[in-house]
């Protein structure tokens, strides 16, 4: 999907262009629904999440200097995935009756979801700007790949060196996030 | 005594991985409560860990949402919300009524009805049966950075054109590789709706000497499922269920049952 396609979709959302928004539904909702149904959700959940993602995206275009750097479909899919993870967390808390529930209006809830998506993008952006070596190392570390395998893969002297390297990459990532002006607003 | 000036990051790491003694944890938590900057650093590392682990952490209450709140409260936003919801209802009803329409069509022509229903249900089945967890892992023990990992990342990020270009470069420039890469090649073509090219890549997998070569058959079936080729889909699934060792043997049987 090209950048111009993304712009067509973004403009359609701003204009409320029913024909093109319907096209977005028919082309992109099935993938989102497939993901949500495989992760404890229903078709109805998928539709609600999809609508929220479109609505929140529109707010970002309206009041933020926001551009999609990847394809529209990829952006929307990720936003839906994140919203669904958020929804599952809320449901889990409700079932466990965990903690005190703060009464949040629908508007505030949408705002918070937008900022959480922005925070997700900030982290992704900084991960991408790490060296290839650090990126791969952290991916493996968080996939719980053992230090033994990491030592073999990267040719490190021992597991302690691998640990130090992971530690340095995490430290570097945290520094990159802290240097970004969005850090104060989002974290 | 905890030295947060020199060992700040190490202590945060130890605290979050739970390897501090109860006494040190108590002392560190006291420091966090007294030192806002340290608290913020701990919070950040916690967030980054959650990000990598695909866990969710909600936003802190004190974060300002005024500008977004004002937009979401506006009449303009409310109208837009209603528009998006109404289009969703239109989409859902179109999807729901495809089947009854095809029944009505059966009064006109049985053939048209069967073809219409078949096409509709196939797309739903593809969504149900294609799962990203079927995609192979390409993590290897090689010390060098491998382009195949970039293909996987691009694919996972749903940048299918980029993944396809990387795949073509990789195949041209590499003589020895993990045959599972053919699955990524085929899937990038499938995602781009280039069915014939997808079939060629999956066929390479099926004909390879890889221990996983039966994956080629399953992904070939996915092409026919997405492309509504019922005859070829049936043929491929029947080949898969001839051998219980084949990849997704049970799913292939289940899919055949659903098609019947």
């Amino acid at each position: 999907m090209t950048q111009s396609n993304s712009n067509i979709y973004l403009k359609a959302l701003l204009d409320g262009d029913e024909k093109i928004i319907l096209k977005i539904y028919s082309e992109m909702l099935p993938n989102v629904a497939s993901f949500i149904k495989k992760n404890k959700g229903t078709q109805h959940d998928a539709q609600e999440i999809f609508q929220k993602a479109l609505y929140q995206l529109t707010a970002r275009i309206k009041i933020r200097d926001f551009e999609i750097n990847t394809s529209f479909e990829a952006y929307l899919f990720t936003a839906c995935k994140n919203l669904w993870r958020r929804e599952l967390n809320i449901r889990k808390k409700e079932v466990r009756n965990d903690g005190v529930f703060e009464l949040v209006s629908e508007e505030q809830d949408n705002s918070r979801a937008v900022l959480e998506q922005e925070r997700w993008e900030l982290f992704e952006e900084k991960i991408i700007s790490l060296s290839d070596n650090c990126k791969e190392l952290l991916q493996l570390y968080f996939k719980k790949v053992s230090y033994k395998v990491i030592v073999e893969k990267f040719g490190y002297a021992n597991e302690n060196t691998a640990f130090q390297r992971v530690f340095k990459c995490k430290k570097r990532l945290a520094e990159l996030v802290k240097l970004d002006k969005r850090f104060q607003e989002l974290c | 005594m905890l030295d947060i000036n020199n060992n700040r990051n190490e202590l945060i790491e130890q605290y979050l991985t739970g390897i501090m003694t109860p006494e040190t944890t108590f002392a560190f938590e006291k420091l966090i409560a007294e030192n806002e900057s340290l608290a913020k650093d701990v919070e950040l590392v916690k967030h980054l860990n959650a990000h990598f682990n695909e866990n969710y952490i909600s936003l802190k209450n004190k974060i300002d949402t005024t500008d977004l709140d004002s937009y979401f409260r506006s009449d303009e936003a409310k109208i837009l919300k209603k528009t998006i919801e109404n289009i969703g209802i239109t989409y859902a009803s179109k999807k729901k009524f495809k089947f009854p329409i095809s029944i009505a069509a059966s009064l006109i022509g049985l053939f048209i009805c069967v073809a219409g229903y078949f096409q509709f249900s196939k797309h739903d089945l593809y969504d149900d049966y294609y799962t990203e967890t079927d995609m192979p892992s390409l993590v290897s023990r090689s010390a060098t950075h491998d382009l195949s990992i970039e293909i996987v990342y691009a694919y996972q990020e749903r940048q299918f054109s980029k993944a396809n270009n990387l795949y073509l470069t990789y195949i041209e420039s590499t003589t020895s590789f993990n045959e599972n890469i053919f699955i990524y090649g085929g899937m990038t073509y499938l995602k781009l709706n280039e069915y014939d090219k997808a079939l060629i890549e999956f066929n390479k997998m099926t004909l390879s000497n890889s221990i996983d070569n039966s994956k080629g058959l399953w992904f070939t079936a996915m092409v026919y499922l997405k492309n509504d080729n019922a005859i070829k889909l049936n043929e491929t699934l029947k080949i898969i269920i001839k051998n219980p060792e084949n990849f997704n043997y049970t799913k292939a049987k289940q899919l055949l049952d659903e098609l019947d």
Side-chain angles (χ1 to χ4, degrees), chain A residues 47-73:
Chain A
Q47 185 136 347
E48 282 203 342
I49 290 290
F50 195 79
Q51 282 169 0
K52 274 189 186 177
L54 289 178
Y55 183 48
Q56 290 163 9
L57 168 61
T58 316
R60 291 188 71 184
I61 315 163
K62 278 270 177 191
I63 60 170
R64 295 274 207 268
D65 186 16
F66 173 67
E67 280 178 14
I68 291 181
N69 297 320
T70 172
S71 72
F72 183 86
E73 185 184 2

Side-chain angles (χ1 to χ4, degrees), chain A residues 38 62 111-112 119 152, chain B residues 57 59 69 76 130 141 143:
Chain A
K38 283 171 193 160
K62 278 270 177 191
S111 302
R112 293 174 71 85
R119 183 183 65 190
E152 284 176 29
Chain B
I57 296 186
L59 209 66
D69 290 348
E76 183 191 344
Y130 166 69
R141 287 168 185 252

Side-chain angles (χ1 to χ4, degrees), chain B residues 41-61:
Chain B
D41 283 355
V42 172
E43 206 52 25
L44 174 60
V45 179
K46 203 193 283 180
H47 277 81
L48 289 172
N49 290 347
H51 183 87
F52 274 102
N53 289 321
E54 300 204 336
N55 291 331
Y56 168 79
I57 296 186
S58 64
L59 209 66
K60 277 195 287 186
N61 288 338

Side-chain angles (χ1 to χ4, degrees), chain B residues 35-187:
Chain B
N35 185 331
E36 198 186 331
S37 148
L38 176 65
K40 214 160 166 69
D41 283 355
V42 172
E43 206 52 25
L44 174 60
V45 179
K46 203 193 283 180
H47 277 81
L48 289 172
N49 290 347
H51 183 87
F52 274 102
N53 289 321
E54 300 204 336
N55 291 331
Y56 168 79
I57 296 186
S58 64
L59 209 66
K60 277 195 287 186
N61 288 338
K62 64 178 184 183
I63 287 177
D64 182 27
T65 59
T66 318
D67 57 345
L68 285 160
D69 290 348
S70 308
Y71 173 75
F72 285 122
R73 278 196 203 103
S74 70
D75 288 343
E76 183 191 344
K78 282 175 186 155
I79 291 167
L80 181 77
K81 184 169 182 270
K82 200 74 206 152
T83 305
I84 293 172
E85 282 171 2
N86 286 341
I87 297 168
I89 293 166
T90 308
Y91 169 77
S93 59
K94 274 191 177 179
K95 202 175 174 225
K96 193 175 172 184
F97 287 108
K98 265 192 179 176
F99 184 55
I101 285 167
S102 66
I103 293 172
S106 71
L107 298 171
I108 306 163
L110 186 61
F111 176 76
I112 295 168
C113 168
V114 170
Y117 171 67
F118 188 73
Q119 186 169 353
F120 166 62
S121 56
K122 282 291 184 301
H123 285 296
D124 278 1
L125 285 174
Y126 174 77
D127 292 335
D128 288 342
Y129 278 87
Y130 166 69
T131 162
E132 301 227 337
T133 52
D134 281 344
M135 295 303 284
S137 164
L138 293 177
V139 174
S140 74
R141 287 168 185 252
S142 96
T144 53
H145 182 72
D146 194 330
L147 186 61
S148 64
I149 301 293
E150 296 296 320
I151 299 170
V152 176
Y153 289 159
Y155 185 87
Q156 286 171 347
E157 284 163 13
R158 310 182 68 75
Q159 295 182 12
F160 302 122
S161 293
K162 181 183 171 188
N164 187 260
N165 287 334
L166 288 168
Y167 170 74
L168 294 174
T169 310
Y170 180 72
I171 290 292
E172 265 186 28
S173 61
T174 316
T175 48
S176 169
F177 47 76
N178 178 344
E179 287 92 343
N180 274 310
I181 197 69
F182 290 134
I183 302 291
Y184 281 92
M187 279 310 298

Side-chain angles (χ1 to χ4, degrees), chain A residues 12-172:
Chain A
L13 281 174
L14 285 178
D15 298 345
D17 184 328
E18 296 190 12
K19 201 175 155 195
I20 296 179
I21 298 175
L22 187 60
K23 189 169 181 266
I24 295 173
Y25 268 91
S26 59
E27 287 185 359
M28 298 169 206
L29 178 56
N31 269 337
V32 171
S34 172
F35 170 80
I36 288 178
K37 284 194 272 182
K38 283 171 193 160
N39 289 281
K40 304 174 189 168
T42 62
Q43 180 70 30
H44 179 71
D45 291 327
Q47 185 136 347
E48 282 203 342
I49 290 290
F50 195 79
Q51 282 169 0
K52 274 189 186 177
L54 289 178
Y55 183 48
Q56 290 163 9
L57 168 61
T58 316
R60 291 188 71 184
I61 315 163
K62 278 270 177 191
I63 60 170
R64 295 274 207 268
D65 186 16
F66 173 67
E67 280 178 14
I68 291 181
N69 297 320
T70 172
S71 72
F72 183 86
E73 185 184 2
Y75 170 83
L76 193 59
F77 187 80
T78 305
C80 289
K81 251 174 91 172
N82 290 340
L83 275 179
W84 181 236
R85 196 175 298 138
R86 181 177 198 270
E87 179 63 28
L88 284 178
N89 191 274
I90 292 168
R91 288 184 190 179
K92 198 163 78 182
K93 276 189 176 171
E94 281 171 355
V95 170
R96 285 185 184 165
N97 205 5
D98 243 1
V100 180
F101 282 103
E102 189 198 354
L103 283 176
V104 178
S105 69
E106 192 188 324
E107 290 86 1
Q108 283 172 321
D109 192 53
N110 274 313
S111 302
R112 293 174 71 85
V114 167
L115 293 175
E116 282 162 12
Q117 175 64 23
E118 288 180 352
R119 183 183 65 190
W120 187 90
E121 286 163 20
L122 167 66
F123 291 167
E124 275 299 294
E125 200 183 298
K126 299 306 166 194
I127 291 168
I128 288 168
S129 68
L130 288 172
S131 67
D132 285 347
N133 193 279
C134 260
K135 257 185 288 189
E136 200 179 347
L137 187 58
L138 290 179
Q139 300 277 7
L140 295 176
Y141 170 76
F142 281 103
K143 276 183 187 164
K144 317 270 185 239
V145 173
S146 71
Y147 276 122
K148 188 170 174 257
V149 173
I150 291 176
V151 165
E152 284 176 29
K153 183 168 174 58
F154 290 87
Y156 293 139
N158 51 42
E159 291 187 17
N160 187 45
T161 315
F163 170 79
Q164 289 300 331
R165 188 69 195 140
V166 168
F167 179 71
K168 276 186 184 164
C169 289
K170 282 180 79 176
K171 191 177 160 198
R172 174 77 191 129

